[in-house]
Amino acid sequence: MGKKTKASDHGPKSGLLVILIFLAAGVYAMWPLPLHFRTDLAGTYGDSFQNLFNFWWIAKAFLTGQNPYFTPYMFHPFGVSLLLHTLSPYNSFPGALLSFIIGLPGAYNMMILVHYVLAGYFCHLLVLELIPEDVPKTWTRITAVWAGLVFTLSPFHFFQAREHLQLTAVEGVPLTLLFLVKILKTPNRKNAVLLGLSTALVTFSDMYLLVYTFITFLFFLAGSSLRRPGKDLLKARAKGLLMAGLVYSLVCGPLLIAMAWKYSTTGYVSGHDPAKFSSDLQSLFVPGPGSAWAGWFHGLYGKWKGNPTEQTGYLGYILLFLALLGLLKKRNMPFSKTIASLGLTAVVLSLGPVLHWGGESSDMILPYKWFASAFPLIFSFTGTPARFSFLVNLSLVLLAASGFAWLAQEVSARHGLGFLLLVPVLPAVALVEMAPGPQEIVHIDPPKIFEQWAHDKQNYAVLDTRRWAQMYLGLVTHEKPLVNGHVSRDPLDRLKHLKDVPVLDTLVFGYKCFAPDFEPRVSSTIGRLELSPGDGPLMPGVPAEFFGATIEGRILIKDRGPTRFLFETSDRIKFDFDKVNRLDSGGKRGPSRFETGPLPIEPGWHDFRIETYAGTGKFFFKMHIAQGNDNFMIPGLDRLKTLDGKPGAKLTSGPRVPLISGQDQIRQAFDDLEKHDIKYIIRWPWQNRLLEEHVLKLEKVYEDDITVVYKVPGSLR
């Protein structure tokens, strides 16, 4: 059947065919987005819009000759450094160029498609290099293409394509590993230079991928040293690695030094909570929400903590079987033990600082916590342990490729053509098992008023207090500086300035608060866990839609057994029971019903605390309780008492923002808005608008389902 093939053995036609296969895989993974390539965006209203901003800003910086690592378009009038922002130049620079041709959404989607193609292609090249030469050429090629398909359609890659373009650019890691393996086998100057350049490519993609690349380096270097290479080979390797390091330093050194200086001299908001953004152990064995089979497992993955997009560690049972074959028959891949050790380490690190199973945290401390303490600088850039599943996916694919190659070789040698026809069945079923579901897409349709601002030559700023996805989309549409803003790591001094200006503090941060954190407030005792606009000590002059409440006390659980709590509320709610949070509606807004599910609670009196408020419409609240098969009922005086033992529950109520009242404060508010050049204020319709509408009495100039715009009077024009 021929000898082993190397990447360099491919002719143009063969290489083009392989690329077309991965292109087809990318189109499949992105479907139905290719039907709306220039009008819709891959993902949801999430972090994908940050990359739209990156494209837009790089294009504008290029056209105007500005520093791409500093933008004056956020945190006006100061601007903000982008050195520690996920600017991802590897994506942003070509994306900016493409945006001139096919627009921002088209450029973003094109970059994702490119990453699907390149990730599969470079993984296929790596497998060609790793599989031994005694495997027949045909099976080596088939195995390499199959491995590339599994890798590019892996849970990590597909899930990240929904939100994080920078983490979709995974192709640099297998490419870098390819040149590292070449140096370990036959060191030369060409491979050393390419290793340095490919590592630089990873650096310009994302810091997570850079950390994973260096971890992979450590494992492969350690594994190769255990083979006791001769002195000449060891010396040649050292020279190659030194040259690669020199090339890398020349390309990336200035940027890394600037980043280190910025990190050491500026305070930043901390990133994700590792305990929350860890892989659930269950996620290794259950397909996640992006899988084609997700509908069968919603009852399981719906309980996992953190962002479901990050739960990407699913191993796949057939893939795991092939990987075990590859490990046991190690002669088919020289670094099989190294790869297996890397994969197992990544599994453990992906589980985070404590073990989770089915959404429940345990007391078991895991190695991630020790590593984070020992290497705080490295792990401060990788605060989402679940992303270590990337290395799990890569290791599993490489070992499975070895298992597939061994299986094909053994069957073809011992059992003939009839059995050989059965060999591709297992890998084909593995592809089906790991198949991604339909790509989520979001339509790009910014308010028309923003397009009008883009044509307005007047210089002014905008305050946009919506979520950063809508804020980014607004910015790249209206192209006016934002007084607030959001980057990957928000600098504390910029946030402090916003908090130090009362009107900005109220507009930017006030809406995040639960019920009443500010004076004035009123307290009373209620005998029933039900409130409406006509009940309780509503404050004079405060409309009910800007009203919130905290209710706390003790509640009597009469019977042993599962207890359920049901809440009906005008907006968000938090519910703590025995000082443990049992419900937090989070980002869900508007009138809703929330249920805790059955909780095992002992009979007796238990502490509770409820925080709720209205963001739009009229304020209302009800809490129902049910035990066993009983119907829900609203607790009354017979089941309530305050923390100091009086009948009923304590209600603290009031407006949800610090009131700016009196002519002096109102005048100061307008002065502060004018000092910051603010001409328009953009809000959610469901945000607290007491200040704009009832105190400052601003003119509303636009409103739709997700956007309200107010115009600030004054001499700004």
Side-chain angles (χ1 to χ4, degrees), residues 463 502-504 506-507 658-674 678 681 683 689-700 710-714:
L463 183 69
V503 66
L504 300 182
T506 299
L507 291 170
L659 291 178
I660 294 176
S661 59
Q663 291 303 310
D664 290 343
Q665 290 179 314
I666 292 175
R667 189 179 301 110
Q668 182 62 51
F670 278 111
D671 287 346
D672 288 333
L673 292 174
E674 187 165 355
I678 298 174
I681 296 173
R683 305 281 275 166
R689 290 178 274 151
L690 173 63
L691 181 62
E692 303 97 291
E693 296 187 357
H694 295 271
V695 179
L696 301 180
K697 302 186 186 314
L698 301 179
E699 176 189 1
K700 185 193 301 181
Y710 295 95
K711 187 175 182 180
V712 178

Side-chain angles (χ1 to χ4, degrees), residues 375-667:
F375 307 101
L377 180 60
I378 294 176
F379 281 82
S380 67
F381 283 99
T382 57
T384 305
R387 293 178 182 174
F388 274 99
S389 60
F390 165 71
L391 290 179
V392 179
N393 292 167
L394 177 60
S395 302
L396 199 62
V397 166
L398 296 179
L399 288 175
S402 178
F404 180 20
W406 174 84
L407 188 64
Q409 187 180 23
E410 288 295 305
V411 172
S412 63
R414 299 185 183 186
H415 301 287
L417 181 62
F419 283 93
L420 192 60
L421 295 176
L422 299 177
V423 171
V425 172
L426 211 57
V429 175
L431 278 172
V432 173
E433 181 188 10
M434 305 298 287
Q439 170 71 59
E440 288 188 88
I441 59 177
V442 58
H443 183 61
I444 303 298
D445 187 23
K448 298 300 181 185
I449 192 173
F450 292 174
E451 297 176 3
Q452 297 172 16
W453 298 353
H455 295 95
D456 187 350
K457 302 301 182 183
Q458 192 177 31
N459 294 322
Y460 54 84
V462 171
L463 183 69
D464 191 341
T465 65
R466 300 171 303 164
R467 193 170 184 265
W468 60 79
Q470 285 78 11
M471 181 192 71
Y472 280 132
L473 179 58
L475 174 56
V476 302
T477 305
H478 59 64
E479 301 191 359
K480 300 298 182 185
L482 296 173
V483 171
N484 58 324
H486 173 72
V487 290
S488 301
R489 291 169 178 81
D490 286 327
L492 294 175
D493 58 346
R494 299 295 187 262
L495 299 181
K496 182 179 183 301
H497 173 76
L498 294 174
K499 289 179 177 292
D500 287 344
V501 180
V503 66
L504 300 182
D505 181 31
T506 299
L507 291 170
V508 176
F509 302 108
Y511 78 94
K512 295 182 179 179
C513 303
F514 277 98
D517 290 335
F518 305 98
E519 300 294 346
R521 65 180 72 188
V522 174
S523 296
S524 66
T525 302
I526 57 174
R528 182 177 169 86
L529 294 184
E530 179 179 11
L531 295 172
S532 68
D535 298 332
L538 292 179
M539 302 189 65
V542 178
E545 60 263 37
F546 305 119
F547 192 79
T550 298
I551 307 168
E552 57 186 343
R554 311 198 77 198
I555 187 169
L556 177 63
I557 302 299
K558 294 183 177 181
D559 303 313
R560 188 183 307 274
T563 302
R564 293 172 293 154
F565 297 93
L566 172 68
F567 298 88
E568 297 178 77
T569 176
S570 49
D571 207 300
R572 296 187 185 180
I573 188 168
K574 286 175 67 177
F575 172 56
D576 293 345
F577 191 86
D578 283 340
K579 300 181 180 179
V580 176
N581 181 254
R582 300 293 185 175
L583 180 68
D584 188 339
S585 62
K588 188 172 179 61
R589 301 177 174 91
S592 301
R593 291 165 59 94
F594 303 97
E595 185 176 343
T596 62
L599 301 174
I601 300 175
E602 293 294 318
W605 290 93
H606 296 265
D607 293 349
F608 74 93
R609 177 183 173 86
I610 301 162
E611 299 179 2
T612 182
Y613 64 78
T616 185
K618 299 299 181 182
F619 174 81
F620 67 88
F621 164 79
K622 293 180 182 180
M623 186 184 96
H624 309 259
I625 186 173
Q627 289 196 272
N629 296 321
D630 294 345
N631 294 326
F632 281 106
M633 50 84 66
I634 299 176
L637 275 173
D638 61 322
R639 303 184 72 160
L640 297 173
K641 64 181 180 181
T642 62
L643 295 176
D644 56 3
K646 298 177 182 178
K650 181 181 178 182
L651 165 68
T652 305
S653 56
R656 292 192 298 108
V657 296
L659 291 178
I660 294 176
S661 59
Q663 291 303 310
D664 290 343
Q665 290 179 314
I666 292 175
R667 189 179 301 110

Side-chain angles (χ1 to χ4, degrees), residues 196 199-201 203-204 247-257:
T199 308
L201 182 149
T203 305
F204 291 135
V247 171
Y248 176 78
S249 299
L250 291 174
V251 176
C252 295
L255 175 61
L256 294 177
I257 291 171

